[in-house]
Amino acid sequence: MAHNPTYIHFAVPPFPYFLEAGRTVYQPGEQHPGRSRLGIFDLLIIEEGCLFIGEDKQTWAAAAGSTLLLLPDRQHYPVKPCKETTSFVWIHFQTVGEWGQSTGESVYAERDRHFRSFHTYPYTIRMPQYGLLPGLLARSGQAALLPELSRERRSSAVWRQQRLFEEMLQLLDLARQDEGGNQAAEIAERTEAYIRSHYAERLTNRSLAEALHFHYNYLARCMKRVYGLTPMEYLTDYRLEQAKLLLLKTELPVSAVAERTGFESIAYFSRRFTHKVGHSPLQFRKRYSR
């Protein structure tokens, strides 16, 4: 059953949250029931056999050692009965953040909209809708443990299940795995960490390249791949984020806020701040002052 590779993207935080998990076993001749628009994500981790299942116009023969993510707003149906004993762990979860589907490059949430909703800029988790179970996740036994925790006291299980679920998402995240190796994600994270530590200084394409020992174009490719924006775009966003904190938590004049967050000109700072936030720095401060 041929299918086009598709990817699911989640803008976080807030992170997807765990609902419930279980294990299902089908004998030869049995099949997955048809369902429509359940309103929750259904992550299947195939342990043995092969599950023949479809979603809208897409069909899969999900074999042992694979994962399949069924989407909350689609129709799911059996394609044909199982030919052999087939078992899988299913994990239901939901998210209040933005999510999307693509067949090519990563899809990123609109950063300003996400910030207005959740007071933080988004990181994008990128997962294959259907793919091989990562070796580290297979060896960890986390998927098998999730259903077992359902028999524990709710007061302790709810914390352990959410933590395990988020660890599984991290292992499934292609932005961290990086299909070409881990270097792009590693370089992007190093660039991000350097910017956060030195944002108040005068940073340029050249100074970033010299500090991180990579050509700026390569740094930009890595950042775009993992975060969806260039180092300089990330720098401006982070400076404005820090400026907002200073405006709220101090009585520093706007000129001092601009200087402390790395802006060389108060006029340029005010212009960028107003464009990004929708209010001038002074108006923003007055909105939250008694």
Side-chain angles (χ1 to χ4, degrees):
M1 299 178 184
H3 59 84
N4 296 321
T6 56
Y7 303 94
I8 311 302
H9 312 272
F10 297 94
V12 300
F15 285 83
Y17 55 93
F18 173 84
L19 294 173
E20 58 185 342
R23 175 180 282 102
T24 296
V25 179
Y26 291 139
Q27 299 301 325
E30 296 182 326
Q31 61 187 17
H32 194 282
R35 297 192 177 97
S36 181
R37 293 175 171 78
L38 287 177
I40 56 176
F41 292 91
D42 190 1
L43 176 62
L44 309 182
I45 300 175
I46 314 301
E47 297 175 313
E48 63 175 327
C50 186
L51 184 67
F52 302 95
I53 191 169
E55 179 182 84
D56 289 349
K57 296 182 180 180
Q58 189 79 54
T59 61
W60 297 275
S66 66
T67 66
L68 175 63
L69 180 58
L70 301 176
L71 305 182
D73 56 352
R74 311 295 165 84
Q75 179 184 4
H76 308 128
Y77 54 91
V79 174
K80 61 181 179 180
C82 296
K83 297 179 179 180
E84 56 190 317
T85 299
T86 299
S87 68
F88 58 92
V89 171
W90 52 264
I91 301 168
H92 291 168
F93 68 93
Q94 187 52 286
T95 184
V96 296
E98 185 175 333
W99 67 275
Q101 182 182 26
S102 75
T103 56
E105 293 297 319
S106 298
V107 174
Y108 299 98
E110 203 283 311
R111 290 172 59 78
D112 293 337
R113 182 173 66 244
H114 190 92
F115 192 95
R116 287 193 298 270
S117 297
F118 303 112
H119 303 286
T120 184
Y121 288 112
Y123 171 81
T124 299
I125 296 175
R126 182 172 182 256
M127 295 172 53
Q129 184 169 18
Y130 175 73
L132 294 177
L133 184 67
L136 187 58
L137 179 54
R139 294 190 295 272
S140 71
Q142 291 168 311
L145 181 58
L146 272 176
E148 300 298 324
L149 290 174
S150 298
R151 291 194 283 269
E152 293 189 3
R153 292 177 56 186
R154 180 68 172 167
S155 59
S156 61
V158 66
W159 296 104
R160 294 183 64 192
Q161 286 174 319
Q162 180 64 24
R163 185 176 67 251
L164 280 175
F165 173 63
E166 290 184 4
E167 290 173 358
M168 292 174 62
L169 288 182
Q170 182 177 355
L171 294 174
L172 289 168
D173 182 11
L174 289 177
R176 294 187 58 83
Q177 292 180 32
D178 185 41
E179 296 101 315
N182 290 322
Q183 189 176 40
E186 179 183 345
I187 297 304
E189 290 175 359
R190 283 175 54 190
T191 305
E192 177 192 34
Y194 186 86
I195 289 172
R196 284 175 173 257
S197 297
H198 299 272
Y199 71 92
E201 304 170 13
R202 185 176 183 274
L203 296 182
T204 64
N205 294 1
R206 182 174 180 177
S207 65
L208 275 177
E210 290 175 350
L212 295 164
H213 308 294
F214 288 100
H215 194 282
Y216 178 79
N217 289 344
Y218 180 65
L219 297 177
R221 286 199 302 273
C222 293
M223 286 287 287
K224 286 285 285 185
R225 182 168 189 172
V226 176
Y227 296 109
L229 69 172
T230 68
M232 288 303 156
E233 290 169 339
Y234 187 96
L235 172 63
T236 299
D237 276 359
Y238 191 71
R239 282 174 169 170
L240 292 172
E241 188 177 343
Q242 297 307 303
K244 290 170 71 173
L245 292 175
L246 288 176
L247 288 167
L248 291 174
K249 296 180 178 296
T250 74
E251 296 298 330
L252 289 171
V254 172
S255 58
V257 170
E259 182 179 356
R260 288 197 182 188
T261 52
F263 289 94
E264 298 181 357
S265 161
I266 184 174
Y268 178 70
F269 164 64
S270 296
R271 188 165 63 251
R272 293 305 300 263
F273 190 97
T274 303
H275 176 76
K276 196 78 172 177
V277 180
H279 301 279
S280 72
L282 279 178
Q283 290 171 334
F284 176 80
R285 173 177 274 170
K286 287 178 181 178
R287 287 187 66 195
Y288 300 100
S289 298
R290 292 184 178 180

